Amino acid sequence: MENWSVDQVCNWLRQRNLGELVPKFREEEVSGAALLALNDRMVQQLVKKIGHQAVLMDLINKYQKQKSGLESLTYCCETASPKFPEVISGKNLKSFFARYKTLQWTSSYALPDFPYDVKCILAEKKCPDHSMRIRIIEYLQADMTKYLKGSLYPNSQQYNIVVSALLQAYPFLDDDGNGFLLWKRALRDRFKYVRRPIEDDEQVLRNKCKFGHRRGQTRKSLFAGNKPDEFQVQEEPIEGSAMDTHIKWLKQEYMKTQKNWKEVDARMNVTIEIRRRMISDKAPLKDILKLFPFLRCPYQLFREFQLLTHMDIYQKTAEILEIYSEKILSLYAVKNNPINIMLQENLERHTEEDILKYMKMTAACLLLPDVFGEDSSLFAAVNKEVKVVTPVLEVKNPFNVTSCEFALYVEGEELAQLSNCTMALAALVAAFHVFDIPYPKRIHRTLNFLESLVFEVRGLAFLP
């Protein structure tokens, strides 16, 4: 820490949820050496909030104690004094060496040699897409396991060191100051994902038992309670071989032209626990869709949403567009929008009431982000190529009754073809919930507005 630059100190503050202090520390040019030299009075001058003062002084004191402990251990080891067992013995000796081993691992850690394509992306300082982030995390996880001599249980300090090394080497990966927490969580989730299927490793089994994940144990169903028979979910635990049979049947049935939808519904009910567990464990979307390809069908996507929320999202979306389309089109914020201009040009060519109503609903759907002053590219790509990884709509020829196309994209790949704007909007909202994807910051007000209408949350459903 003594040799840290001002930038490294600022990164260290962000990692400990003290990002508010960064501007002041930059202004005062507080380097690592200056940080360790701070006393109570200096901290009071630098930091206004008492809570932040206490946290900062505690972190500095802990580092200094840790440093003095390492120096003491090094001195004892070098002198090999015969009195050493009397000074540090029993549990103290064990914990002392454990701490020393951790510090030794930390000081020697270097980032792995990433594959060529990853190096190219990092060299160009491009923000990696979702699949590239997964590759980076996979290599970091494998490299940490090597440093840990095969252990799959890093401690918090080791996670911190690896992520700090990554962000110091590639600062552009720090997304708006939140990069450290996001990369650390992704790395922890990767270790969980690797440990989950392991049943023959002694350390993994011991920790599963210690923390309650015993073999054969099943969680209580997420959907316990009174539900219509049509949406009754399997609550009894299913043996692994039976689950494999259901998944195999679903994969085979998906390839058929004529599908047995009643049986599909039943088997999707039975397998929902494993599916929700995979999603909550942040399994790659490709793996989930490979096992459960029917989630690509709008009907099953809506049905999954209904199993989770007891809401018919397609029906609710149709009601929303019908009620709000005229209000949205009358707002001044969208008067000169290219979508609205395109709508007005096409309205003049038709007289049929149903077609005019459909066009207005389509325009209202596409104009929603502009009403809230948000980034419409995170909502729909109209006659453009999709360039985002979060759920987004691809719309071609929106006001051409014969050639309009709607599709839902997730992680840059097409998930489903959709027949109209109502189905498209319903699928977009459902995808965020079904796949447990957080709303992007630059579109969250639009999506929160839709969510409040779907769930009928009073006091939240309003237009600017």
Side-chain angles (χ1 to χ4, degrees):
M1 185 179 279
E2 293 92 335
N3 299 322
W4 282 4
S5 65
V6 175
D7 288 337
Q8 289 173 312
V9 170
C10 292
N11 283 335
W12 179 79
L13 290 171
R14 291 193 191 99
Q15 293 164 15
R16 283 148 185 82
N17 297 324
L18 296 173
E20 295 179 24
L21 310 183
V22 168
K24 188 66 175 177
F25 273 61
R26 285 192 185 280
E27 182 185 341
E28 299 294 338
E29 297 184 359
V30 179
S31 63
L35 178 67
L36 294 176
L38 293 176
N39 57 33
D40 292 346
R41 187 175 178 183
M42 293 176 184
V43 170
Q44 289 172 7
Q45 291 176 343
L46 271 173
V47 184
K48 293 182 179 179
K49 294 182 180 179
I50 295 176
H52 287 171
Q53 293 175 11
V55 171
L56 185 62
M57 286 305 300
D58 182 60
L59 290 170
I60 293 172
N61 291 336
K62 281 181 179 178
Y63 178 83
Q64 289 173 336
K65 287 179 182 178
Q66 193 178 60
K67 180 186 174 187
S68 63
L70 177 60
E71 289 173 347
S72 300
L73 177 62
T74 305
Y75 174 78
C76 290
C77 290
E78 287 176 351
T79 55
S81 169
K83 295 183 180 180
F84 180 76
E86 296 176 9
V87 177
I88 308 172
S89 60
K91 289 184 178 180
N92 290 336
L93 179 64
K94 186 176 180 180
S95 62
F96 217 63
F97 272 109
R99 186 196 301 174
Y100 177 61
K101 185 178 180 181
T102 299
L103 291 171
Q104 215 175 23
W105 184 92
T106 294
S107 61
S108 65
Y109 182 77
L111 288 173
D113 188 20
F114 290 115
Y116 179 74
D117 57 336
V118 177
K119 285 181 180 177
C120 290
I121 293 293
L122 295 175
E124 293 173 7
K125 296 185 177 180
K126 290 182 178 178
C127 190
D129 59 19
H130 183 71
S131 59
M132 189 61 69
R133 283 173 175 264
I134 290 174
R135 293 200 67 196
I136 293 171
I137 287 295
E138 287 175 347
Y139 273 86
L140 288 177
Q141 179 267 316
D143 194 59
M144 286 181 72
T145 304
K146 179 191 72 175
Y147 268 88
L148 293 165
K149 298 181 180 179
S151 171
L152 295 173
Y153 288 92
N155 59 36
S156 183
Q157 183 183 5
Q158 289 162 342
Y159 280 122
N160 291 345
I161 290 299
V162 172
V163 175
S164 295
L166 179 70
L167 297 184
Q168 286 175 16
Y170 308 104
F172 60 91
L173 296 178
D174 189 3
D175 302 328
D176 300 327
N178 297 319
F180 180 85
L181 296 176
L182 295 175
W183 284 98
K184 182 178 177 180
R185 185 175 68 180
L187 192 54
R188 291 173 72 98
D189 288 342
R190 178 64 192 173
F191 270 97
K192 288 180 183 178
Y193 182 68
V194 170
R195 293 193 300 259
R196 185 169 53 83
I198 295 177
E199 296 184 354
D200 56 354
D201 183 275
E202 183 180 348
Q203 185 188 19
V204 173
L205 288 176
R206 185 169 62 248
N207 279 276
K208 282 183 178 180
C209 291
K210 179 180 178 181
F211 297 107
H213 301 285
R214 296 172 178 83
R215 293 181 67 176
Q217 183 180 27
T218 58
R219 292 182 299 176
K220 188 177 180 181
S221 172
L222 296 171
F223 312 102
N226 296 324
K227 295 174 285 293
D229 293 340
E230 181 185 357
F231 291 102
Q232 191 67 32
V233 180
Q234 175 76 22
E235 296 196 14
E236 293 298 323
I238 306 174
E239 296 296 331
S241 58
M243 182 66 71
D244 291 341
T245 302
H246 288 304
I247 291 173
K248 184 178 179 181
W249 186 91
L250 289 167
K251 291 164 72 175
Q252 292 174 346
E253 190 70 11
Y254 183 74
M255 303 304 294
K256 295 180 181 179
T257 305
Q258 297 293 329
K259 299 175 177 60
N260 183 348
W261 287 108
K262 186 175 181 180
E263 185 66 18
V264 170
D265 291 349
R267 292 181 186 255
M268 288 293 282
N269 280 356
V270 168
T271 56
I272 192 167
E273 281 289 344
I274 184 67
R275 192 160 59 251
R276 300 316 306 169
R277 196 174 303 138
M278 287 181 70
I279 290 170
S280 66
D281 289 344
K282 304 299 180 186
L285 182 61
K286 287 183 179 179
D287 292 351
I288 297 167
L289 295 175
K290 187 176 180 180
L291 297 180
F292 304 101
F294 279 98
L295 288 178
R296 292 180 177 274
C297 302
Y299 163 73
Q300 283 298 331
L301 188 65
F302 298 156
R303 197 171 179 280
E304 188 94 351
F305 183 90
Q306 189 160 1
L307 287 170
L308 293 170
T309 65
H310 311 297
M311 284 284 183
D312 184 343
I313 191 169
Y314 181 77
Q315 181 184 349
K316 292 296 297 183
T317 304
E319 294 172 2
I320 291 166
L321 285 178
E322 192 166 350
I323 294 170
Y324 281 86
S325 57
E326 292 290 350
K327 296 179 183 178
I328 291 169
L329 295 176
S330 66
L331 293 172
Y332 183 78
V334 301
K335 182 178 179 181
N336 298 317
N337 189 283
I339 297 291
N340 201 4
I341 295 171
M342 196 188 309
L343 168 68
Q344 300 305 324
E345 291 173 355
N346 281 273
L347 286 177
E348 297 173 0
R349 302 173 189 172
H350 298 275
T351 56
E352 298 88 343
E353 187 177 340
D354 290 344
I355 293 177
L356 296 177
K357 180 180 177 182
Y358 171 78
M359 285 184 176
K360 290 179 179 179
M361 289 171 63
T362 301
C365 169
L366 299 178
L367 288 169
L368 261 178
D370 297 284
V371 170
F372 288 90
E374 295 189 312
D375 189 349
S376 59
S377 67
L378 295 174
F379 189 82
V382 182
N383 295 329
K384 295 178 182 177
E385 182 184 354
V386 170
K387 294 183 178 180
V388 298
V389 296
T390 51
V392 68
L393 297 176
E394 183 192 54
V395 186
K396 296 180 180 178
N397 309 317
F399 304 115
N400 189 321
V401 180
T402 58
S403 64
C404 60
E405 296 178 11
F406 297 87
L408 174 65
Y409 276 69
V410 182
E411 295 185 1
E413 295 186 10
E414 184 180 303
L415 184 76
Q417 288 280 345
L418 308 155
S419 59
N420 54 54
C421 66
T422 304
M423 184 177 286
L425 186 56
L428 178 67
V429 177
F432 279 102
H433 282 267
V434 169
F435 298 114
D436 194 21
I437 299 171
Y439 291 160
K441 289 182 180 179
R442 290 180 292 160
I443 200 72
H444 77 280
R445 283 184 293 176
T446 304
L447 295 171
N448 282 335
F449 169 74
L450 289 169
E451 182 181 299
S452 64
L453 292 174
V454 170
F455 293 108
E456 300 176 351
V457 181
R458 295 183 180 180
L460 294 179
F462 63 90
L463 290 170

